[in-house]
Amino acid sequence: MAAADNKTTPTIVSPHAFIAGLDDARRKREAEILLRWFETVTGLKRRMWGPSMIGFGRYHYKYDSGREGDSMITGFAPRKAAMTLYIKPGYRGMSEMLARLGPHRTGKSCLFLNRLDAVDIDVLAEIVADGVAHMRANCETWDA
């Protein structure tokens, strides 16, 4: 399957413009905080991925099936139900950090936060930085 088949690709939309268009005032405020915070924690460039995800960095993947493409290294999406953070490649060895984080739920590579102010932002930085370091060490091609 070719990279062109991937639905989530970088767009030319400004992350600031996307955030400005959010209806929920709290999500908008949290998204503005996270936009600056992710750049500080990761040192990676921000860009929109698809219509609603703000990603930082980019890496190329290729599965055994032949499917390949590019994806963000980390990022977030201000969803109505929860602020969703993308922690790649998932949570291997992060149980101690997750236990210190505060209220959250996890998916395969998603970290769901109901309220940003309810979690320990320093622990969140450890989690994001660990994921980025792992991606940098284990991906053949990536860029800031």
Side-chain angles (χ1 to χ4, degrees), residues 105-126:
R105 295 182 330 277
T106 59
K108 184 175 179 181
S109 291
C110 295
L111 181 63
F112 303 103
L113 307 175
N114 287 334
R115 298 187 63 93
L116 186 59
D117 62 4
V119 298
D120 186 321
I121 200 77
D122 294 329
V123 175
L124 188 59
E126 290 178 46

Side-chain angles (χ1 to χ4, degrees), residues 65-138:
S65 66
R67 180 182 176 91
E68 65 181 295
D70 293 330
S71 185
M72 63 183 154
I73 292 174
T74 191
F76 70 95
R79 308 272 189 225
K80 184 176 183 178
M83 184 65 77
T84 304
L85 281 69
Y86 301 99
I87 311 298
K88 295 184 182 181
Y91 304 101
R92 80 272 158 274
M94 291 189 182
S95 55
E96 183 272 330
M97 285 185 272
L98 290 169
R100 293 186 292 122
L101 179 61
H104 69 278
R105 295 182 330 277
T106 59
K108 184 175 179 181
S109 291
C110 295
L111 181 63
F112 303 103
L113 307 175
N114 287 334
R115 298 187 63 93
L116 186 59
D117 62 4
V119 298
D120 186 321
I121 200 77
D122 294 329
V123 175
L124 188 59
E126 290 178 46
I127 291 168
V128 170
D130 182 86
V132 170
H134 181 86
M135 295 302 288
R136 283 181 168 162
N138 292 286

Side-chain angles (χ1 to χ4, degrees), residues 3 6 8 59-63 67-71 141:
N6 296 331
T8 306
Y59 75 99
H60 188 78
Y61 62 85
K62 184 172 184 177
Y63 298 132
R67 180 182 176 91
E68 65 181 295
D70 293 330
S71 185
T141 58

Side-chain angles (χ1 to χ4, degrees), residues 13-72:
V13 175
S14 156
H16 281 294
F18 166 71
I19 292 169
L22 295 174
D23 293 332
D24 184 306
R26 181 168 49 93
R27 285 287 182 253
K28 186 183 290 193
R29 196 170 46 255
E30 291 176 339
E32 284 291 347
I33 291 167
L34 285 176
L35 189 64
R36 291 183 304 275
W37 182 86
F38 264 95
E39 284 187 330
T40 300
V41 170
T42 68
L44 300 170
K45 184 171 66 171
R46 64 182 172 210
R47 65 175 65 99
M48 291 298 299
W49 285 79
S52 62
M53 294 185 289
I54 301 171
F56 297 81
R58 176 196 309 234
Y59 75 99
H60 188 78
Y61 62 85
K62 184 172 184 177
Y63 298 132
D64 291 339
S65 66
R67 180 182 176 91
E68 65 181 295
D70 293 330
S71 185
M72 63 183 154

